Amino acid sequence: MKILASVLLSILPCMAAAQAAPQAQSKYTGSISYTGIYTYQNFNHDSIYGATSQNLAGWGITPEINFTRHFGFQGDFVTSYSTDSIPSLTQFTVAAGPRYTMNPYWKGTPFFFGEAGETRISYGNFGGNHHPAVDWEPTASAGIGFDVNLTPRFGLQFVPAEWMGQRLDYNGEWQNNFMARFGFVFNFRRP
């Protein structure tokens, strides 16, 4: 009986560790968010039809994978369209980079991110302007956001402040854009 008890006592911690390890790993698998986007474009170069700024609206999908409780990697797929009729402008951005998630604060969890990638800009009819009608341009962005979990697998996402810089290939200048997002988050983490 003592041998059986000692065998059980030595096996129980191993079984508990084996069960705890998969749960700890699967807890940080990731999420995907779908957001509506507002972008303020600040043209700090020669004006287009006299416009030095422009408003764009659109949507974005952001998958995220977590390596630890706080550190992860996210990708960004953003499409935006000009809300002004002239000049006409459409953008598609593909970017990726690190994301740092802080400890939950009430129901809102703040996070910081930085990304790099490319933006495909399609200009409308500009009647012979010197830039190309369609161009891929280097892009960098950084921002702060909040995830608000309504259930363990579903929540809301707010990104009130995101800076996005784009290098215009035709003149080599960087423009500064400011973006805000609101949307839904689908978590693949186990509670």
Side-chain angles (χ1 to χ4, degrees):
M1 191 68 159
K2 288 182 181 180
I3 295 173
L4 180 60
S6 65
V7 168
L8 285 175
L9 288 175
S10 64
I11 292 176
L12 285 176
C14 295
M15 290 174 55
Q19 288 180 353
Q23 290 175 353
Q25 290 173 354
S26 64
K27 186 174 182 179
Y28 307 111
T29 56
S31 65
I32 189 164
S33 60
Y34 177 80
T35 55
I37 293 172
Y38 166 77
T39 302
Y40 176 79
Q41 300 253 308
N42 181 22
F43 293 104
N44 57 356
H45 57 87
D46 55 334
S47 64
I48 300 171
Y49 282 146
T52 56
S53 64
Q54 190 167 39
N55 299 306
L56 284 82
W59 54 272
I61 295 176
T62 307
E64 173 205 358
I65 185 168
N66 302 102
F67 302 120
T68 68
R69 178 182 175 125
H70 297 288
F71 183 72
F73 191 81
Q74 74 178 28
D76 227 347
F77 304 91
V78 176
T79 297
S80 55
Y81 312 90
S82 62
T83 57
D84 306 324
S85 59
I86 295 177
S88 170
L89 187 68
T90 302
Q91 293 189 142
F92 174 66
T93 301
V94 178
R99 170 179 158 143
Y100 182 81
T101 304
M102 299 177 69
N103 287 331
Y105 184 69
W106 292 320
K107 283 197 168 225
T109 305
F111 62 89
F112 303 93
F113 63 93
E115 298 173 337
E118 290 279 323
T119 297
R120 180 184 186 270
I121 296 183
S122 301
Y123 296 96
N125 183 10
F126 286 99
N129 272 4
H130 57 280
H131 55 73
V134 176
D135 195 15
W136 283 93
E137 299 171 343
T139 300
S141 66
I144 181 171
F146 300 90
D147 284 333
V148 179
N149 292 326
L150 302 176
T151 70
R153 298 197 183 260
F154 178 76
L156 302 176
Q157 185 176 91
F158 304 93
V159 180
E162 179 180 353
W163 166 84
M164 183 172 71
Q166 293 174 324
R167 183 185 177 278
L168 301 172
D169 288 339
Y170 74 91
N171 65 4
E173 292 187 14
W174 281 85
Q175 72 177 33
N176 297 299
N177 307 326
F178 302 93
M179 189 178 299
R181 305 185 192 204
F182 173 73
F184 305 102
V185 180
F186 302 94
N187 294 312
F188 301 116
R189 306 176 185 93
R190 290 185 184 173

